[in-house]
Amino acid sequence: MTFQEQIKQGIPNELPQPKPYETQINHAPKRKEILTDEEKKLAVRNALRYFEPKFHAELIAEFRKELEDYGRIYMYRFRPEYEMKARPISEYPGKSEQAKAIMLMIHNNLDYAVAQHPHELITYGGNGAVFQNWAQYLLTMKYLSEMTDEQTLVMYSGHPMGLFPSHKDAPRVVVTNGMVIPNYSKPDDWEKFNALGVSQYGQMTAGSYMYIGPQGIVHGTTITVLNAFRKINKKPKGGLFVTSGLGGMSGAQPKAGNIAGCITVCAEVNPKITRIRHEQKWIDEIHEDIEVLVERVRTAQKNKETVSLAYLGNVVEVWEKFAEAGLKIDIGSDQTSLHNPWAGGYYPAGISFEDSNKMMAENPDLFKEKVQESLRRHATAINLHTEKGTYFFDYGNAFLLEASRAGADVMVENPTLGREFKYPSYVQDIMGPMCFDYGFGPFRWVCASGKPEDLKKTDAIACEILEEMMKNSPEQIQQQMADNIQWIKGAQENNLVVGSQARILYADAEGRMKIAEAFNKAIRNGEIGPVVLGRDHHDVSGTDSPYRETSNIYDGSRFTADMAIHNVIGDSFRGATWVSIHNGGGVGWGEVINGGFGMLLEGSEDADRRLKSMLFWDVNNGISRRSWARNEGAIFAIKRAMEAEPNLKVTLPNFVDESLF
């Protein structure tokens, strides 16, 4: 069968042969046993409903064994034979260009060069899934190949509910992930519902088909690192940045450090992902001996090098050893997946990677105890450095939250609303007041032709527009504009593409609309092929997350999720090609609600109309919420937006004279 025939077939009429478990692939760890015997039967029964009864006798034992061996039913047998990668949009079968674009983006999320655990359909973060199993994937791709522009596919935590009649301005796909009742939103609830096959953790851009590999966070991390050094009044050259994690999103850190111009030490316990990042040239060197690493850092500091060093080992060892050796760490953070602390997101110090994986599955209570013990050590070592001047920030991975729950010394002596911890979230100090309040966030696009030359042309278009905009930009956003122009000019030489021909660029509503309009014109003129627009959920409007995206909201509303819900509803009727809303994101189930979108530009006047309507709302929705919280940058930004658009009328806050209290 051809590639197109396999896509259109969906779940095959005859059972494919079982596939061997490929040990060279980076696999998800075994999930802990959490189901009762009756619930295990229910999980198998749920899995079998995708298949005709004539296949049940053969599949029942196989699915039961997968559940026992891996803690999940992935249906490995049904993994496609074709290469999993984003193809040019013209190679996908279908009646709708928008549906073809979504297939392309799904394939990009599952590309072996992009996905963290491709055979388990997990893109990043240890549990950020596109689908729960391969039957869901096959059925979804079949539906997309049949869809017209008068239908909408409804996705229910990886499960394709089906095609429903709609209209051309409706989203082609509506995605929900993990939207469970709030009282059932603890980590063990996810384990249970996911094992049953009824819910999944979509992370942010994993379950919304908008992940573009580590590049997706490189730009934001570069901005964060640059501004962290600015906060301590030091140039990055020769400065030391210590962090951890080389997986999906965290893998961007060493590349960002190189772009910023500092020395980066990034610890990682997984040898496979460490090698992958080295092969992809996202890190310069791998070190396994901590003593050798110390001397290498001394040399780099002396010579003011720009270099990224991976330490294949536990980050706690790095913080402790560097304190013992008297090495000065300038800025520090952490990007282990602590939203998922008990299932592979964080590995305890003093226990090997292999033994940790075994303990995680066979003795989860002891594993949790060891993780919390390690978090206490981790925090103690960080405190030793911050007492000597290190600037440490939480990178929104729930490090401070889980460390506090473990009893670590991370709480401030006199807490205030929004400042409970010794150390700030990077959003509180950097991204919130500098970027999100002014409407700057991670706008991104993918060249659906798959041609590198198209990406080069879009980079040039975006750069030209930003340079023109900067001539008349107000003083308040000149630094943001300058940083973004520097970024886009260096994007090609920094080899940021992994998977599809994609780019990320922090831009405000004006920039996003002007860049998208210019892309659409270039498509219409035949200069480039179709372009998919999107963004990270980690943005101005898409995410309500009290310890990350909305951590610089101080009016008491940071624990509300109205903004994310408003955002996805508003995007859906303003012309998005697809929309998504998730529980979970990068900080854990029950800790955040986040939403995203995708939009296909194909050169039409209709696309012009939709992009202007949707992108304006998508950003200004969040600025208006931030302005109501009395964030001064957001008040400036929303007033500016109202001047530009007479139909925008936003309720502004009045300030109270503090002496009245």
Side-chain angles (χ1 to χ4, degrees), residues 297-316:
V297 171
R298 287 195 203 281
T299 301
Q301 287 178 319
K302 181 182 176 182
N303 297 331
K304 294 192 180 300
E305 293 181 50
T306 295
V307 67
S308 54
L309 312 171
Y311 174 60
L312 185 53
N314 199 287
V315 69
V316 177

Side-chain angles (χ1 to χ4, degrees), residues 105 109 205 208-212 444 533-535 578 597-598:
M105 296 302 291
N109 268 26
T205 51
S208 66
Y209 325 141
M210 190 45 71
Y211 189 67
I212 58 168
R444 54 180 61 169
L533 301 181
R535 59 163 170 76
W578 73 98
F597 77 87

Side-chain angles (χ1 to χ4, degrees), residues 347-646:
Y347 284 78
I351 304 172
S352 73
F353 181 61
E354 294 76 15
D355 288 347
S356 291
N357 281 328
K358 186 177 180 184
M359 186 190 298
M360 192 190 308
E362 296 178 2
N363 196 342
D365 290 340
L366 179 60
F367 183 76
K368 181 176 180 178
E369 184 182 310
K370 293 296 182 184
V371 164
Q372 292 192 319
E373 179 184 302
S374 190
L375 281 167
R376 291 191 291 272
R377 275 179 61 185
H378 196 160
T380 298
I382 288 168
N383 292 340
L384 290 175
H385 287 273
T386 58
E387 286 165 5
K388 296 176 182 176
T390 297
Y391 174 65
F392 182 85
F393 55 91
D394 184 295
Y395 216 141
N397 63 332
F399 171 73
L400 290 177
L401 192 61
E402 286 302 334
S404 69
R405 289 168 176 169
D409 180 14
V410 294
M411 308 306 292
V412 73
E413 282 186 22
N414 299 304
T416 59
L417 189 61
R419 289 278 180 173
E420 301 95 332
F421 301 118
K422 278 187 178 184
Y423 307 113
S425 155
Y426 74 115
V427 174
Q428 283 180 303
D429 269 15
I430 299 170
M431 300 307 286
M434 284 200 62
C435 293
F436 292 168
D437 283 355
Y438 289 100
F440 284 85
F443 181 54
R444 54 180 61 169
W445 64 87
V446 176
C447 295
S449 66
K451 296 177 180 177
E453 56 266 35
D454 277 10
L455 184 60
K456 191 172 183 178
K457 288 174 186 174
T458 59
D459 285 345
I461 290 169
C463 187
E464 184 180 337
I465 286 168
L466 292 181
E467 289 181 323
E468 186 61 33
M469 285 175 60
M470 190 173 173
K471 292 175 185 176
N472 300 307
S473 292
E475 182 183 347
Q476 288 88 337
I477 60 171
Q478 284 284 315
Q479 183 67 65
Q480 291 90 324
M481 297 295 293
D483 283 348
N484 287 311
I485 290 167
Q486 180 184 343
W487 163 265
I488 201 70
K489 282 183 172 178
Q492 292 281 332
E493 65 190 51
N494 282 311
N495 299 315
L496 297 164
V497 170
V498 177
S500 62
Q501 295 297 314
R503 182 68 70 229
I504 186 170
L505 172 70
Y506 267 57
D508 61 4
E510 181 187 7
R512 297 182 203 204
M513 288 189 290
K514 285 183 174 177
I515 290 168
E517 188 178 13
F519 288 171
N520 203 48
K521 182 180 178 182
I523 297 164
R524 186 161 54 245
N525 294 340
E527 298 168 32
I528 56 174
V531 171
V532 176
L533 301 181
R535 59 163 170 76
D536 197 342
H537 296 206
H538 170 65
D539 197 9
V540 181
S541 305
T543 298
D544 283 295
S545 180
Y547 296 107
R548 194 162 76 176
E549 283 78 3
T550 42
S551 61
N552 71 317
I553 300 290
Y554 301 115
D555 68 348
S557 71
R558 65 190 175 122
F559 293 97
T560 66
D562 303 69
M563 180 178 70
I565 302 299
H566 289 162
N567 185 255
V568 72
I569 293 172
D571 283 357
S572 69
F573 65 75
R574 286 180 171 86
T577 302
W578 73 98
V579 292
S580 60
I581 189 77
H582 303 175
N583 166 25
V587 295
W589 245 35
E591 305 285 359
V592 52
I593 300 294
N594 63 92
F597 77 87
M599 176 181 278
L600 177 67
L601 302 181
E602 71 315 54
S604 68
E605 290 183 9
D606 192 51
D608 263 336
R609 172 182 62 84
R610 289 186 290 109
L611 73 88
K612 289 169 187 171
S613 174
M614 201 218 73
L615 291 176
F616 185 84
W617 158 260
D618 188 66
V619 175
N620 283 297
N621 158 56
I623 299 175
S624 65
R625 185 270 178 97
R626 293 169 186 277
S627 71
W628 186 239
R630 295 183 290 269
N631 291 16
E632 291 186 9
I635 293 171
F636 167 83
I638 206 66
K639 283 180 177 178
R640 188 163 171 254
M642 285 192 279
E643 289 170 7
E645 173 51 73

